[in-house]
Amino acid sequence: MTVEAPASAGEIQTIVAARRLRDTRTVFIGVGRPSTAAILARMVHNPDLVLVYESGTIGAKPFHIPLSIGDGELAQTADSVVTVPEMFNYWIGPGRIDVAFLGAAQIDRHANLNSTVIGDYEHPKTRLPGAGGAPEIAASCGEVIVIAPHAKRTFVEKLDFCTTVGHGDGPGARERLGFRGKGPTAVITDLGVLEPDPDTKELVLTQIHPGTDLDEIREKTGWELDVSDDLRTTEPPTAEELAKLRELLDR
């Protein structure tokens, strides 16, 4: 199997996210790169992976990347379709979903997320889509993987608004709030992977993608980034991963 062009940063990010689902039973996803990563995971790593979309489709098996969570192919290929209230009350709230993918406009050092406003809440520079189900998802799913571009405007010292609690203000925050799930276990960017320190719950750079410079990552992070003593270089995409991803993107 041959692949002509080298992998782009976005392709590596998608492939790394797909690899995280190798041993996962169920994943909760929206659209965009998380959906692409989940479909790729089913194609290459985990054919039994159950895709759960926020529109209420359980066990969807899309052949194409969905245009939206209301894409007809999701319902047509799903094992079951439930209402959104049932999705949150029966599947998410009790912790029946193993992994959830989330994105955000801003993320801080404790993996708290902002998808509400940029700037002052009353007079924002930008009004964003809002919470949706992200707060409940982050509170109750087994774990959360955040997929975001690595930029200084995204990785900020202080959120303009806290939409979704990741690890709050540090150790014990989730327990005090009565949250069920582990919270964010990884933040996958186009430059590397950050994971919460077990003791401080602050994000630490644990993995750097091929061709990426550590100084660039530090420059694009809005706080003094801690780097793991065991910093790894991401395993390059295999020919199969890259070929299948490009096949999926071209459909």
Side-chain angles (χ1 to χ4, degrees):
M1 184 178 296
T2 59
V3 177
E4 295 180 359
S8 68
E11 287 173 330
I12 293 175
Q13 183 182 23
T14 303
I15 288 168
V16 170
R19 290 172 178 171
R20 287 268 171 168
L21 301 175
R22 279 189 174 116
D23 301 314
T24 299
R25 294 177 305 166
T26 53
V27 60
F28 186 88
I29 44 181
V31 293
R33 189 156 289 164
S35 180
T36 305
I39 298 170
L40 179 64
R42 284 192 75 249
M43 294 171 66
V44 178
H45 301 298
N46 186 355
D48 295 325
L49 178 66
V50 177
L51 308 188
V52 182
Y53 283 83
E54 55 186 292
S55 54
T57 56
I58 299 170
K61 305 167 190 66
F63 181 73
H64 303 89
I65 298 172
L67 298 176
S68 73
I69 59 171
D71 193 308
E73 187 178 12
L74 297 180
Q76 291 166 4
T77 61
D79 296 326
S80 178
V81 180
V82 302
T83 64
V84 172
E86 181 178 335
M87 174 64 69
F88 280 87
N89 291 331
Y90 182 80
W91 294 95
I92 293 173
R96 290 187 167 94
I97 303 295
D98 295 330
V99 175
F101 279 149
L102 289 179
Q106 291 181 333
I107 181 169
D108 69 12
R109 68 177 68 225
H110 289 116
N112 302 301
L113 309 177
N114 172 23
S115 57
T116 301
V117 294
I118 301 298
D120 179 71
Y121 182 81
E122 297 297 335
H123 304 283
K125 296 177 182 176
T126 304
R127 181 74 68 180
L128 300 169
E136 292 85 355
I137 292 164
S140 299
C141 289
E143 62 180 290
V144 169
I145 295 174
V146 181
I147 299 180
H150 210 127
K152 207 159 191 174
R153 68 179 184 179
T154 303
F155 286 77
V156 297
E157 177 67 35
K158 181 177 173 55
L159 300 179
D160 290 344
F161 184 93
C162 184
T163 307
T164 303
V165 174
H167 293 288
D169 57 2
R174 294 183 61 83
E175 290 76 8
R176 289 194 299 272
L177 291 168
F179 288 173
R180 178 188 299 275
K182 295 178 183 176
T185 56
V187 178
I188 300 174
T189 82
D190 48 348
L191 300 181
V193 178
L194 299 88
E195 299 176 274
D197 178 89
D199 297 321
T200 67
K201 299 302 181 182
E202 182 172 326
L203 291 174
V204 176
L205 183 69
T206 58
Q207 197 171 318
I208 186 169
H209 299 331
T212 301
D213 183 78
L214 182 55
D215 289 338
E216 178 187 4
I217 295 179
R218 285 190 164 122
E219 174 62 29
K220 291 183 175 181
T221 305
W223 64 86
E224 189 173 342
L225 181 63
D226 193 8
V227 177
S228 171
D229 293 335
D230 299 318
L231 180 66
R232 309 184 307 279
T233 299
T234 301
E235 180 183 341
T238 65
E240 181 185 17
E241 287 173 325
L242 201 49
K244 291 293 187 183
L245 174 57
R246 289 175 176 175
E247 175 189 334
L248 181 59
L249 293 171
D250 286 342
R251 287 176 183 171

